[in-house]
Amino acid sequence: MATGRYLDTRQFQSLLADLRLTRTSAQAGLLEFLERQGMVTPAARIFWPRALVLEGREVASDPTPTPEEREWTDALEKALRAWSRHDAPPDLIHPLDDPDLGPARGLIRQGEVPFEPWETFRTNIRPEGETPLYVHDAVDTFYHDWQALIVADALRCGVRLIFDTRRPELLEVAMRGDFADLPERSSYVQTSFEAPRGLRDGHTWAPFFDAAARLDVARERQLIAISMAHGGQPGPMTESDTQALTATLSVAAKAALAPLVADWPKLKSFVVYLCERWDEFTRRGESAMANEYRRQIQRAVRLAVAGLDIETAFIITDVGRVTGHFDDTLNVIFPDLEDEARDAVLRSLLHVIVPAAPATSPDLTVDEAASVDLVDWLERTDQWKVHIAIQQILQHQFQGDTLDHAGLAKEVESLGTTFEHCVDSLLAEAGLSASGTLCPKVQRLWKNVPDVVDDYWANKGLTNTIKAARATQIAAIDSLALASPNAGVTRVLLKGVLYRNEGTHGGMKDWDEAEIHEASRASLLAMLLCRKAFVTRPPTP
């Protein structure tokens, strides 16, 4: 789930918005439609006992929860918590995949199941005779991240009907949806033939998408274990670290490929398919989707290398030129493989930034899943400045000479600017204006988190260092007497804006190294929290 398997509905909708497939992340109606039509179906659902849902809401239920329901619910919740731990073993099976889960599997539905309207998943927590109040606690729906690629093809199915909506009578037809009433010769129809093929092929390759995603989970978990072994400090991997990672990938890849009975020719066909789709979206100018296919190609190549014990160089040559470029296609797609940069970002987030995160309400907690989500989003949206900055910070830090100190200051200054760029991108995805300075833009992004936005706006003056020194403002932010459970979030956002303003207008070259590192932590933590808030409490236009 942290690396893209079993995203909940809200996370999946956010992914669709990230990929520019939908204008906003509020698309539950679209997902229900696609499921009803059998075009894109959820990977799994958990049906929690409604009696326990009512009990959790302090509402009497009839009948009351049975001992078996309590036992199954407790077992599944415990397994999900164990899976969600940042230090979970790389070989731990996701509870929704675990055949040995026991009777609790009765709460899970996967595979071919009859469609049920989503409104039936709601639970009324009001007594009979009162106006109903529905909650969605009883059913959790999950998708895999690669299913977004299938959604992309589903959205292109059907026809495009073109007519002049400047004409009031035709606009009225469009608003009613009665397109049969369009006058003769007043419209032009374009039918998509590529999308149905894409939808068919996406479903055909689904087992390979998922095998590659399973390997990605093991890889991320092993990288976390390596980082923890080094005390959470970012830095290059040792030879023994590399050997441990290679061994983990080999075991996980072979396990993922075993049910598919896949050899290299079959995996090669999968890689070629992904390359062709990357080329298709690249030529259309749809960079977000092209980047997502690029990420899937990276997963597939890693699966082949680890699972079939073949070399990357052989894969590049054997796949060859399949997209009409003069060079081998994989060399075109990956002129510079960014694995090391991604790993450095993740290690920094997981073992420097996340441990420094403040206490929050449960839905704003930042953890492994939030860290991977941020990095995936940065890569999908072509925001590579964080990767570049962290690589340069690792190169320049703790060197002691003037040149390296200046280089370190320059990169941390850029992180503050990148924080603002991230806020701009999130606002655009939400359909909100990104105009103005950073301070009100942050307020706009957090508008659906009242305690944070109220405290933040009340203390926005602390982000200004014209009338008061930086150290004075930081001390004032740290000493704020805030009663909110998210008080620490407010402090991070205020510091993030302050460091961005100070770094942009005054520079950091005269700061000592400890101050520069504190600014980098504040900027990264602010990005992480903003992305988390966007996923869990997205702002509405």
Side-chain angles (χ1 to χ4, degrees):
M1 184 171 174
T3 54
R5 298 187 75 243
Y6 296 118
L7 304 176
D8 63 33
T9 307
R10 179 176 288 176
Q11 292 171 319
F12 190 63
Q13 291 177 91
S14 180
L15 173 60
L16 298 181
D18 289 347
L19 295 175
R20 308 293 192 267
L21 298 177
T22 57
R23 289 179 63 85
T24 70
S25 57
Q27 299 294 333
L30 170 64
L31 294 181
E32 181 180 10
F33 168 78
L34 294 177
E35 182 184 357
R36 182 187 294 111
Q37 302 304 315
M39 300 170 82
V40 183
T41 56
R45 277 198 174 96
I46 299 175
F47 287 80
W48 304 103
R50 289 188 187 270
L52 284 173
V53 172
L54 292 171
E55 183 179 86
R57 294 277 183 167
E58 299 182 352
V59 177
S61 64
D62 185 17
T64 58
T66 66
E68 290 79 13
E69 288 175 331
R70 293 186 187 279
E71 180 184 348
W72 299 349
T73 298
D74 182 65
L76 184 52
E77 287 180 337
K78 183 178 179 181
L80 289 169
R81 283 196 301 271
W83 165 261
S84 299
R85 287 179 57 89
H86 73 281
D87 57 352
D91 58 351
L92 184 65
I93 300 175
H94 194 288
L96 299 183
D97 297 322
D98 189 356
D100 299 323
L101 186 62
R105 283 213 66 83
L107 302 177
I108 301 169
R109 292 188 197 172
Q110 291 171 296
E112 298 282 338
V113 295
F115 172 77
E116 297 179 54
W118 286 25
E119 65 179 11
T120 64
F121 300 153
R122 303 179 303 173
T123 301
N124 179 22
I125 60 173
R126 288 269 175 82
E128 189 174 349
E130 293 187 16
T131 302
L133 176 61
Y134 294 102
V135 297
H136 297 82
D137 303 8
V139 180
D140 290 334
T141 300
F142 300 96
Y143 293 85
H144 297 317
D145 65 353
W146 51 263
Q147 289 183 282
L149 307 179
I150 300 178
V151 172
D153 287 312
L155 292 176
R156 288 185 169 84
C157 287
V159 299
R160 182 181 181 215
L161 190 62
I162 304 170
F163 55 95
D164 189 357
T165 49
R166 296 176 302 174
R167 295 166 55 182
E169 71 276 15
L170 298 188
L171 177 61
E172 182 182 351
V173 169
M175 298 300 290
R176 294 199 313 267
D178 297 327
F179 299 111
D181 294 343
L182 285 170
E184 187 177 359
R185 298 182 182 279
S186 67
S187 63
Y188 181 80
V189 176
Q190 291 179 332
T191 304
S192 170
F193 297 103
E194 294 82 4
R197 288 197 294 270
L199 196 60
R200 177 201 64 207
D201 293 344
H203 284 296
T204 299
W205 290 113
F208 288 81
F209 276 117
D210 201 47
R214 287 172 184 262
L215 178 62
D216 218 35
V217 171
R219 177 174 175 270
E220 300 289 3
R221 292 287 172 90
Q222 183 60 46
L223 286 172
I224 291 168
I226 290 170
S227 182
M228 291 178 66
H230 290 285
Q233 296 302 312
M237 291 198 299
T238 65
E239 183 177 350
S240 62
D241 293 336
T242 302
Q243 291 173 348
L245 180 60
T246 300
T248 295
L249 293 181
S250 178
V251 171
K254 288 174 171 58
L257 286 173
L260 307 180
V261 195
D263 54 11
W264 167 238
K266 190 66 175 177
L267 260 179
K268 175 183 174 182
S269 297
F270 179 47
V271 173
V272 168
Y273 163 76
L274 294 174
C275 290
E276 290 172 343
R277 297 311 305 273
W278 168 84
D279 186 56
E280 176 187 335
F281 283 100
T282 298
R283 292 179 189 279
R284 286 182 190 165
E286 298 181 38
S287 60
M289 282 296 299
N291 284 337
E292 183 61 17
Y293 268 103
R294 184 176 186 272
R295 191 167 71 95
Q296 297 295 335
I297 294 167
Q298 200 170 27
R299 282 181 172 180
V301 169
R302 191 178 292 129
L303 180 66
V305 170
L308 301 177
D309 299 319
I310 55 181
E311 296 293 330
T312 304
F314 167 79
I315 294 174
I316 293 171
T317 302
D318 200 46
V319 169
R321 295 164 55 188
V322 296
T323 54
H325 294 88
F326 289 110
D327 198 357
D328 288 331
T329 295
L330 289 174
N331 280 335
V332 174
I333 297 173
F334 300 104
D336 294 299
L337 294 176
E338 76 281 354
D339 274 3
E340 290 184 9
R342 177 186 174 88
D343 292 346
V345 175
L346 278 173
R347 287 198 300 273
S348 296
L349 289 174
L350 290 170
H351 297 292
V352 177
I353 306 306
V354 169
T360 67
S361 55
D363 62 337
L364 293 178
T365 300
V366 291
D367 52 13
E368 175 198 350
S371 301
V372 175
D373 172 70
L374 173 64
V375 177
D376 286 348
W377 175 72
L378 290 170
E379 293 176 359
R380 280 195 302 270
T381 54
D382 260 344
Q383 299 187 78
W384 298 95
K385 290 183 180 179
V386 174
H387 298 61
I388 296 169
I390 287 180
Q391 282 190 310
Q392 292 300 311
I393 288 169
L394 292 174
Q395 178 180 334
H396 292 300
Q397 67 181 354
F398 310 131
Q399 298 301 312
D401 64 71
T402 303
L403 187 60
D404 279 303
H405 186 85
L408 176 66
K410 176 178 176 295
E411 295 304 329
V412 176
E413 288 167 18
S414 78
L415 278 181
T417 305
T418 303
F419 167 41
E420 182 167 8
H421 293 166
C422 289
V423 172
D424 291 346
S425 295
L426 292 170
L427 287 171
E429 285 184 23
L432 295 170
S433 170
S435 62
T437 60
L438 178 57
C439 192
K441 287 190 283 193
V442 170
Q443 180 202 28
R444 232 170 284 151
L445 182 63
W446 285 80
K447 63 189 293 188
N448 281 348
V449 191
D451 57 330
V452 171
V453 79
D454 290 347
D455 287 342
Y456 168 80
W457 199 243
N459 294 283
K460 65 181 185 295
L462 296 178
T463 65
N464 188 319
T465 57
I466 295 176
K467 296 182 179 180
R470 178 179 71 255
T472 301
Q473 297 291 60
I474 292 294
I477 292 171
D478 286 335
S479 62
L480 283 173
L482 305 175
S484 161
N486 293 310
V489 175
T490 301
R491 294 189 182 94
V492 169
L493 295 177
L494 290 169
K495 288 182 181 179
V497 175
L498 183 150
Y499 283 129
R500 179 269 173 203
N501 292 341
E502 183 80 349
T504 299
H505 300 299
M508 297 181 179
K509 64 182 180 63
D510 296 326
W511 298 15
D512 64 40
E513 188 153 340
E515 286 184 291
I516 295 175
H517 279 294
E518 177 57 31
S520 72
R521 285 191 289 269
S523 296
L524 289 169
L525 186 50
M527 290 183 217
L528 191 58
L529 287 165
C530 284
R531 173 64 186 173
K532 181 72 174 188
F534 179 86
V535 171
T536 59
R537 300 198 209 177
T540 49

